[in-house]
Structures are given as C-alpha cells and as structure tokens.
Amino acid sequence: LGCRLGMAISPELLNSALAYLPILFAFVLAVVLATVTLAIVVSRANWFPGTVAVWGLSPGAASAMVMLAEMYGSDARIVAVMQYLRVLVAALVAILVGTLMGSPEANSHGIPTTGPGVVWFPPIDGVAFTETLALALLGAIAAWVSKRSIAILFVPMIGGAFLQISGLGRVGLPA
C-alpha cells in the first residue's frame, strides 16, 4: 500500500495540486475539522471506549489508523471496522459517481476499460518493480528495527514519492 501511494505521487500531480492549492487546502482543512469535531463529540459521549472514536473517525489510510490505534492502546478491531466501513462507502460512492458521469467504453487515454480489449496482465517494468521491492523491503526492515509497525507503510510511501518526484527511481507495481 505504501508503494502504491508513493507511486501515485508524481511531478505532474504536484504541479496540478499547486495550481489548486488554496482550494485543496480549504477542503482538507474542512474535512479534518469536521472529523475531529465528530470524533470529539463521539468520544465525550462515551459511545466507544477510550480513544477508539478518535482513531476510527480520523481520515487517512485505514491501515495506518488501525496500526496507530493499536500502538496507542485502543481497540484496533473496532477502529478497523470503522475505518474499512468508511473505505467501503467511499469506494461505493466513487463507483456510483463514475457510473453516472463516466464512459464505460474507454478511459481518458482511449484504452478500453471493459470488454475484450482489456489487458489483464500487462508486462511489468523489471527495473521499476525491483526498485519497488527494495523500497518495500526497506519499509519492513525499518518497522522491524524501530519496533513501529507504521514504518512499513510510511517508509515506502515517502520513499516512493521522493523517487518519483526527484527522478532518481521509479515505483512500478503490477496492475
């Protein structure tokens, strides 16, 4: 997951994000404030034990929130249900929006996304895939050495983003 997130960050994405930075910042701030407010209200109402509401309602990578909740002594099982239910709802909404607004015949590159023209197992770039495996291994080693399981997600994500942006390497995963 960390490698996939790092792979998504590119110079083009950063340039696009910088063009809309005030709007992006306002939306991120609004979402964070809304979820923090909701988490505080739910936590003070004692609907969940301890800090479960804070971790369960926090936006971000669900696996990271579950690991952080476990690291700080919350019930990771409840946090996992809350986080992955949020992911499921977000995925269903994305599918609904894509179905209502998108074209099922082709994506923006003109490549068919359904039907007989879909390439299910495209060739893998060996160098980029090897760099990705090394990055994932580095994340696992960092988590093992630091005794912080969250490093297995953040080291490949930040490292992959750095490689993509700097041009020093590429992150490549199978489709």
Side-chain angles (χ1 to χ4, degrees), residues 67 71 139-152:
M67 284 188 260
M71 199 164 62
I141 291 169
W144 181 59
V145 169
S146 69
K147 305 287 190 254
R148 301 283 184 186
S149 57
I150 197 71
I152 204 165

Side-chain angles (χ1 to χ4, degrees), residues 5 27-28 47 68 78 126 149 166 174-175:
L5 291 171
F27 274 107
V28 168
W47 292 349
L68 285 168
I78 299 172
S149 57
S166 68

Side-chain angles (χ1 to χ4, degrees), residues 122-132 170-174:
I124 297 171
D125 181 350
V127 174
F129 187 62
T130 304
E131 291 172 355
T132 305
R170 294 171 299 161
V171 179
L173 291 169

